[in-house]
Amino acid sequence: MKNVILWLFGIEESALSDPVTIAAIIASFAVIAAVIAVFIVLAVKRRFRIREWGNKAWQRTKLITQSCFFMLTNSFMVGWFKGTIYQGKLKYLCVPGMNCYSCPGAWGACPIGSLQAIFNDFDAAKSWVDPKTGTYVKVPKYWFAFYVIGLMMLIGAVCGRLVCGLLCPFGWVQDLIYKIPVKKLRLPRDEMRIANSKHPKAVRFFLGLDKYLRYAKYAFLIVMVIFLPLMVKADPWFCKYVCPSGMLLGGIPLMSMNKSLADAAGSLTLLKLCILASLVVISIFLYRPFCRYICPLGAIYSFFNKVSLYRYGIDDASCNRAKGCAACAHACPMGVDPVRDPNSLECIRCGTCAASCPKKAIRPGFRFKTAEGNAIRTKKSK
Amino acid sequence: MKKESKTSRYLIPAALIVCALAFIVTGILDKEVLTVLRKAAAICMECIGLG
Ligand code: SF4
Ligand code: SF4
Ligand code: SF4
């Protein structure tokens, strides 16, 4: 038993003589047990059957799920108590969401950080010093990240962006900030609704721009996560110059607990704090700006939305769209119209539309047909 | 509208899952996991804004 705990927590035997470590280990188990209990209760009460609950009840279930998953994956309490990070073997595995591996509580690795680490790795035996310039030319050790891409592919093929809707800590943080009750900026994505909206011309221009800005996350993925770390080496570019999740979950807690780290803060810290602060402010008014425009992980999962096992589908026989209903499209915080495209790249599978449909015509899940035998359409409508 | 075939609804994800598992095994055999652990088990200075 003792050896299992030492292995699991990645600590030396001598650490067990420290009462703080013992208390932290007990706290970790308590958090994990509590989270598992909550998930069991939610499952037994059928709270995950989105369509059976109204939107209000579903939003509560969603928030509980997001909070619990955050607690589960960040329950290495030794780190939180002592200002360190987890160094055990579970870090071989990546967690599904944007969860910095430098978060004191994180049990697993961040998939985007790991992807860059693999592209950053170089083969010392093949690398050489250019005699003309004197620079050290690093030859990549891996040209393709089979392990991390395989893990992301597995998650994507099973559930697509369901991770974004329910499991990602940074998505959860943005959801919490968006709860601040002020007037929100809603961005419908289709031109008709933009043209008909009552906003002034300048705002309408931005509404139109939003559609194109959403491609920026693919640019971040290609340039900062793949190209620069692979070809220029040295740095995990996205982590270093952009990622606000690293600053929020890793930087702020670690620096507040370690004076030596806080003393080392400089211009880069300021840059990352500014990015984080801007996103926090924008998140008050606009739903999930980071997920819309920046997140490379959301960009990767988005490719799987249309081909994953778990999909959104429309029971066209029940849907009232022909009679003018658009309750789902109005409810969608990401500006997607699920009836038109139930598995849009932009859909984070938050379930809001399915919980808001008065006809229960939106069918998230694995099924092909409804119990009544109606076909479930998962493709775009014509 | 063209009806969705059951095959495409389930076969594509199944093929992707098999492919993903093959990738994971390849990565493990290629020792990519060691690079992941090495990076993840130390405080990442870039992540926390210290460069
Ligand atoms: S888009 Fe990125 S940050 Fe947003 S929920 Fe998805 S993985 Fe998390
Ligand atoms: S809310 Fe339901 S009934 Fe109305 S358009 Fe959307 S899917 Fe159809
Ligand atoms: S279409 Fe919109 S409301 Fe429905 S699950 Fe996707 S993001 Fe959420």
Side-chain angles (χ1 to χ4, degrees):
Chain A
M1 183 66 182
K2 195 167 99 183
N3 286 345
V4 175
I5 291 178
L6 291 179
W7 178 88
L8 188 65
F9 283 78
I11 49 177
E12 299 292 327
E13 196 168 352
S14 56
L16 291 182
S17 55
D18 175 15
V20 178
T21 308
I22 299 283
I25 291 173
I26 294 170
S28 298
F29 283 123
V31 171
I32 294 168
V35 168
I36 292 173
V38 171
F39 279 141
I40 291 174
V41 171
L42 288 178
V44 170
K45 289 192 158 189
R46 297 171 152 232
R47 285 281 171 170
F48 294 115
R49 299 200 165 197
I50 306 175
R51 292 179 316 121
E52 289 175 16
W53 302 92
N55 193 26
K56 216 170 159 194
W58 167 246
Q59 293 304 326
R60 215 176 303 136
T61 305
K62 176 174 161 270
L63 206 64
I64 295 173
T65 308
Q66 290 171 297
S67 317
C68 285
F69 196 77
F70 172 79
M71 290 202 278
L72 187 70
T73 47
N74 293 285
S75 56
F76 177 68
M77 301 310 268
V78 181
W80 289 115
F81 282 23
K82 305 187 88 166
T84 56
I85 66 163
Y86 176 61
Q87 297 184 312
K89 297 281 186 284
L90 292 183
K91 275 211 169 152
Y92 274 127
L93 275 174
C94 296
V95 287
M98 255 340 226
N99 195 143
C100 188
Y101 37 41
S102 292
C103 172
W107 290 104
C110 164
I112 290 297
S114 304
L115 196 58
Q116 293 168 87
I118 287 180
F119 288 141
N120 265 174
D121 211 356
F122 63 95
D123 193 339
K126 289 185 190 152
S127 301
W128 46 286
V129 179
D130 187 336
K132 278 189 204 139
T133 59
T135 46
Y136 186 51
V137 182
K138 293 174 180 171
V139 177
K141 191 167 174 185
Y142 303 108
W143 287 96
F144 191 80
F146 281 102
Y147 177 65
V148 183
I149 291 177
L151 280 175
M152 291 194 278
M153 213 167 138
L154 183 65
I155 297 167
V158 173
C159 63
R161 284 188 89 176
L162 185 69
V163 171
C164 299
L166 295 183
L167 306 180
C168 173
F170 203 67
W172 169 66
V173 168
Q174 291 171 91
D175 279 5
L176 289 179
I177 299 170
Y178 192 70
K179 288 205 174 294
I180 297 174
V182 293
K183 196 165 166 23
K184 307 293 177 185
L185 182 60
R186 299 296 296 259
L187 301 181
R189 288 177 72 233
D190 62 297
E191 290 80 4
M192 269 300 284
R193 284 169 62 205
I194 294 171
N196 293 339
S197 74
K198 295 188 188 79
H199 296 297
K201 209 171 169 190
V203 177
R204 287 215 301 269
F205 172 75
F206 180 67
L207 296 185
L209 208 62
D210 162 74
K211 192 169 141 188
Y212 300 101
L213 281 178
R214 297 206 190 202
Y215 291 111
K217 57 180 171 290
Y218 300 102
F220 277 109
L221 170 67
I222 293 166
V223 178
M224 303 210 70
V225 176
I226 300 172
F227 181 76
L228 291 174
L230 188 62
M231 303 313 288
V232 185
K233 296 281 159 203
D235 289 326
W237 288 70
F238 185 79
C239 294
K240 186 169 177 177
Y241 298 107
V242 183
C243 188
S245 178
M247 200 62 210
L248 180 70
L249 299 177
I252 295 176
L254 283 179
M255 277 193 244
S256 58
M257 288 188 274
N258 293 285
K259 196 176 173 301
S260 56
L261 290 178
D263 289 344
S267 52
L268 197 63
T269 323
L270 194 65
L271 169 79
K272 289 199 68 177
L273 275 174
C274 287
I275 294 175
L276 176 63
S278 324
L279 279 166
V280 167
V281 173
I282 299 171
S283 300
I284 300 174
F285 304 99
L286 179 67
Y287 187 71
R288 296 209 187 190
F290 180 73
C291 306
R292 279 172 196 253
Y293 309 123
I294 302 174
C295 183
L297 187 56
I300 293 175
Y301 289 143
S302 76
F303 295 127
F304 292 95
N305 262 4
K306 288 188 194 304
V307 289
S308 60
L309 209 51
Y310 176 92
R311 268 183 232 176
Y312 269 59
I314 306 296
D315 168 7
D316 283 311
S318 308
C319 173
N320 253 355
R321 177 56 59 91
K323 294 184 188 142
C325 174
C328 51
H330 287 300
C332 176
M334 291 295 281
V336 175
D337 179 353
V339 172
R340 254 211 214 165
D341 188 359
N343 292 291
S344 156
L345 301 191
E346 294 301 321
C347 169
I348 54 166
R349 298 192 164 164
C350 65
T352 308
C353 54
S356 308
C357 170
K359 304 292 285 183
K360 303 195 187 307
I362 299 181
R363 303 279 185 145
F366 304 92
R367 293 175 66 159
F368 187 71
K369 272 188 179 157
T370 65
E372 304 80 45
N374 297 342
I376 297 176
R377 167 177 60 84
T378 65
K379 301 226 163 88
K380 262 187 178 176
S381 68
K382 291 266 162 63
Chain B
M1 189 186 306
K2 218 179 130 224
K3 266 202 158 173
E4 262 179 74
S5 80
K6 211 170 188 169
T7 331
S8 81
R9 174 69 178 84
Y10 299 114
L11 204 66
I12 297 173
L16 281 171
I17 291 169
V18 172
C19 199
L21 292 174
F23 273 26
I24 293 170
V25 173
T26 311
I28 293 172
L29 295 177
D30 212 11
K31 299 203 172 73
E32 281 175 28
V33 276
L34 294 180
T35 304
V36 171
L37 183 69
R38 206 182 318 128
K39 181 73 184 171
I43 293 177
C44 166
M45 290 301 165
E46 293 91 351
C47 296
I48 65 168
L50 298 182

